[in-house]
């Protein structure tokens, strides 16, 4: 009787899940293994390009990777894994519609990633928007442009002031890049309004610590603060958001004002759904892993990325790998290779990668970078940011589309059209039925 083909279950279709399945797809097509990817979304979002998608520099569809098209040879299930019984090697799957069912596996990869780290701040859930997926990026772009329209059409000075006030909470990569890119876009858009200028807008960044962009070091972090302040952007360090009920912002430094747009980018935390897997977690809620990406103390189970505590073998202090795309993509490739090694009866190899550095965009033709200890500013850093990230976008198709977006932008002006009505497509029809 022929031996059963090993079934690999990948829980999550983000960086780690998609890249792991991508590394296994050829073996799956050859019949060596079976691969199933379960995720609530049928696409993987390349998050480093979300700020550019929000600012109109990249078409939003080009920063998402369709899983079924990319992972040929793998089965993609749109749903959630709501429980795992690893003793039986069975996962409980909740599909988008219909009843739950059990899915058996031989090896499992836990790659459900992270979620936004929020705080119990009054009004936050009702008034703020996050910045982790393409839907949020599109909604934020539409909101900013819509507020310019509102301010242009509104004579009331208080309403205008509220419409033109934009608050971002969190000074990490996501916050700074979104903050800078959207201000750059809005500043450009004001040229098309006869009664709204760049000086009318107020852009406020609220950061609880005494620095921003810690990944690029204190010198470049301070340089970024200075550059943003030169653009009349209000950078509030060592300041917390206390409340934002009904758009009324209250800060820990005592300042209060109204803002129609509030964006929360104050970090991430491991997905709390990890508690339902039954695997060992550390004090931060991450799955405990060995250096070879196996889950600690468990056979036939693997993890990597934001939701995993993976030892950093390049560190002498016993640190863990940082939760960023640079590690996630490389870990996923090692993880896929290790699974195939185990299937072939070989021992898995350890993951080891020395952190290269960081790059960040501060708007069109502006950026900061630190690579191999070398500090880079301005246009060269912005160019490195684009070059590095386009090299990391999965598939040649997506790379070509992103590069084409940038090339067309060299010859045509920035697109600043708001499609805010897409969020309420039935509004005009509803009014027609009411009349």
């Amino acid at each position: 009787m022929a031996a059963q083909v090993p079934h690999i279950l990948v829980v999550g279709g983000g960086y780690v899940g998609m890249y792991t399945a991508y590394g296994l797809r050829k073996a799956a097509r050859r019949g060596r293994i079976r691969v199933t990817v379960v995720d609530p979304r049928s696409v993987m979002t390349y998050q480093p390009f979300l700020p550019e998608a929000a600012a109109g520099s990249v078409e939003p569809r080009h920063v998402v990777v369709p899983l079924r098209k990319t992972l040929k040879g793998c089965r993609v299930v749109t749903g959630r894994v709501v429980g795992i019984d690893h003793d039986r090697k069975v996962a409980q799957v909740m599909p988008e519609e219909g009843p739950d069912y059990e899915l058996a596996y031989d090896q499992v990869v836990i790659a459900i990633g992270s979620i936004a780290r929020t705080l119990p701040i009054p009004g936050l859930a009702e008034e703020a928007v996050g910045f982790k997926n393409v839907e949020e990026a599109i909604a934020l772009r539409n909101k900013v442009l819509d507020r310019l329209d509102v301010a242009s059409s509104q004579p009331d000075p208080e309403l205008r002031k509220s419409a033109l006030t934009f608050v971002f909470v969190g000074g990490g990569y996501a916050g700074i890049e979104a903050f800078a890119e959207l201000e750059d876009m809005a500043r450009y858009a004001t040229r098309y309004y006869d009664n709204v200028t760049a000086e009318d807008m107020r852009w406020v960044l609220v950061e609880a610590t005494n620095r921003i962009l810690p990944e690029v070091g204190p010198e470049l972090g301070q340089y970024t603060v200075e550059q943003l302040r030169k653009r009349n952007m209000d950078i509030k360090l060592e300041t917390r958001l206390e409340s934002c009920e009904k758009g009324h912002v209250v800060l820990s430094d005592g300042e209060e004002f109204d803002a129609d747009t509030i964006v929360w980018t104050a970090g991430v935390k491991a997905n709390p759904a990890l508690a339902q897997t039954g695997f060992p977690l550390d004090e931060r809620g991450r799955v405990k892993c060995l250096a070879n990406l196996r889950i600690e103390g468990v056979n036939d189970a693997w993890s990597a990325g934001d939701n995993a505590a993976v030892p950093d073998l390049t560190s002498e202090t016993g640190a863990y790998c940082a939760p960023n795309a640079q590690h996630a993509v490389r870990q996923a490739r090692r993880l896929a290779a290790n699974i195939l090694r185990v299937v072939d009866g070989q021992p898995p190899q350890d993951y080891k990668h020395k952190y290269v550095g960081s790059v960040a965009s501060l708007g069109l033709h502006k950026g900061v970078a630190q690579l191999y200890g070398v500090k880079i500013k301005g246009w060269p850093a912005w160019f490195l940011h684009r070059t590095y990230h386009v090299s990391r976008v999965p598939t040649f198709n997506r790379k070509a589309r992103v590069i084409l977006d940038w090339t067309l932008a060299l010859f045509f002006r920035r697109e600043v059209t708001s499609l805010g009505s897409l969020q309420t497509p039935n509004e005009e029809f509803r009014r027609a039925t009411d009349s």
Side-chain angles (χ1 to χ4, degrees):
M1 184 160 73
Q4 183 179 1
V5 176
H7 181 207
I8 316 301
L9 173 62
V10 181
V11 184
Y15 283 111
V16 172
M18 199 285 293
Y19 273 104
T20 299
Y22 193 73
L24 296 171
R25 75 194 190 288
K26 290 183 179 179
R29 286 158 67 178
R30 293 169 183 163
R32 290 177 58 197
I33 58 174
R34 290 189 298 125
V35 179
T36 300
V37 180
V38 181
D39 193 271
R41 299 161 61 83
S42 61
V43 298
M44 186 275 269
T45 302
Y46 190 72
Q47 293 180 350
F49 278 152
L50 285 183
E52 292 207 41
S57 298
V58 175
E59 164 65 38
R61 289 176 300 173
H62 299 165
V63 303
V64 295
V65 182
L67 296 179
R68 287 185 173 84
K69 181 178 179 181
T70 305
L71 302 178
K72 293 179 179 178
C74 304
R75 181 190 177 199
V76 176
V77 174
T78 304
R80 299 178 186 274
V81 170
V82 294
I84 292 178
D85 185 345
H86 194 60
D87 292 334
R88 296 172 52 220
K89 291 191 175 179
V90 168
Q92 189 77 14
V93 177
M94 182 175 70
E96 193 171 271
E97 293 185 11
D100 296 2
Y101 59 89
E102 290 189 340
L103 185 62
Y105 62 83
D106 296 293
Q107 298 194 49
V108 63
V109 177
I110 304 300
I112 58 177
S114 59
I115 64 171
R117 184 184 65 220
T118 59
L119 297 172
I121 297 172
L124 183 66
E126 296 78 13
E127 301 296 332
V129 63
F131 200 73
K132 276 186 66 67
N133 57 54
V134 72
E135 294 91 340
E136 290 173 328
I138 295 171
L140 184 55
R141 168 187 171 80
N142 289 336
K143 180 70 174 291
V144 170
L145 293 173
D146 178 70
R147 293 301 88 188
L148 294 180
D149 288 341
V150 168
S152 176
S153 308
Q154 178 55 253
D156 186 297
E158 290 303 315
L159 292 178
R160 277 175 55 91
K161 189 175 181 181
S162 177
L164 295 175
T165 300
F166 308 93
V167 179
F168 285 67
V169 184
Y173 269 116
I176 292 298
E177 291 194 331
F179 184 62
E181 288 279 1
L182 282 162
E183 189 276 343
D184 202 40
M185 177 201 71
R187 178 182 293 271
Y188 177 88
T190 58
R191 68 181 60 192
Y192 300 111
Y193 294 85
D194 57 8
N195 60 346
V196 177
T197 67
E199 290 69 30
D200 293 330
M201 297 188 296
R202 186 185 181 196
W203 292 78
V204 184
L205 178 76
V206 179
E207 168 55 44
T209 68
N210 62 357
R211 57 189 289 196
I212 64 173
L213 291 180
E215 298 88 347
V216 299
E219 182 181 328
L220 288 179
Q222 182 57 39
Y223 167 82
T224 301
V225 170
E226 293 170 357
Q227 293 302 305
L228 295 178
R229 284 175 173 165
K230 286 180 180 178
R231 289 156 61 175
N232 293 321
M233 301 170 80
D234 193 355
I235 313 298
K236 290 181 171 291
L237 302 178
E238 298 183 279
T239 306
R240 299 180 307 278
L241 175 66
E242 300 285 357
S243 173
C244 58
E245 291 182 292
K246 296 182 179 179
H248 184 69
V249 175
V250 180
L251 303 180
S252 61
D253 63 2
E255 185 176 6
E256 299 185 24
F257 54 88
D258 291 333
D260 287 359
T261 307
I262 302 169
V263 187
W264 182 266
T265 58
V268 297
K269 64 179 180 181
N271 197 315
L274 292 169
Q276 300 170 5
T277 64
F279 294 122
L281 307 181
D282 69 359
E283 68 281 356
R284 295 171 59 182
R286 301 174 300 178
V287 180
K288 294 181 179 179
C289 289
L290 304 175
N292 60 18
L293 304 176
R294 270 181 162 162
I295 295 178
E296 191 175 297
V298 184
N299 292 323
D300 301 324
W302 312 78
S303 190
D306 289 2
N307 64 199
V310 178
D312 184 355
L313 298 185
T314 67
S315 171
E316 299 177 356
T317 61
Y320 292 93
C321 295
N324 56 43
Q326 188 176 143
H327 279 301
V329 173
R330 288 176 169 83
Q331 286 174 358
R333 290 171 178 162
R334 170 47 51 202
L335 200 162
N338 278 349
I339 288 174
L340 293 177
R341 288 179 64 87
V342 169
V343 168
D344 291 338
Q346 300 176 357
Q349 296 179 343
D350 288 346
Y351 169 77
K352 184 177 182 180
H353 170 68
K354 187 170 180 60
Y355 193 60
V356 173
S358 303
V359 290
S361 171
L362 303 178
L364 198 62
H365 304 150
K366 299 175 282 287
V368 291
Q370 180 168 265
L371 300 176
Y372 300 104
V374 178
K375 300 177 179 63
I376 307 168
K377 307 172 184 176
W379 188 91
W382 170 82
F383 181 77
L384 281 173
H385 171 271
R386 285 196 162 185
T387 302
Y388 173 77
H389 283 301
V390 79
S391 73
R392 297 302 171 199
V393 174
T395 77
F396 176 78
N397 181 304
R398 281 296 175 273
K399 295 180 197 295
R401 290 178 184 273
V402 169
I403 292 173
L404 182 60
D405 286 342
W406 290 338
T407 303
L408 290 174
L410 296 175
F411 302 100
F412 299 99
R413 292 185 175 184
R414 188 198 292 261
E415 180 60 64
V416 290
T417 302
S418 170
L419 296 176
S421 59
L422 289 177
Q423 293 160 240
T424 54
N426 202 44
E427 183 63 22
E428 287 297 322
F429 183 75
R430 185 190 64 78
R431 290 184 180 183
T433 59
D434 290 343
S435 62

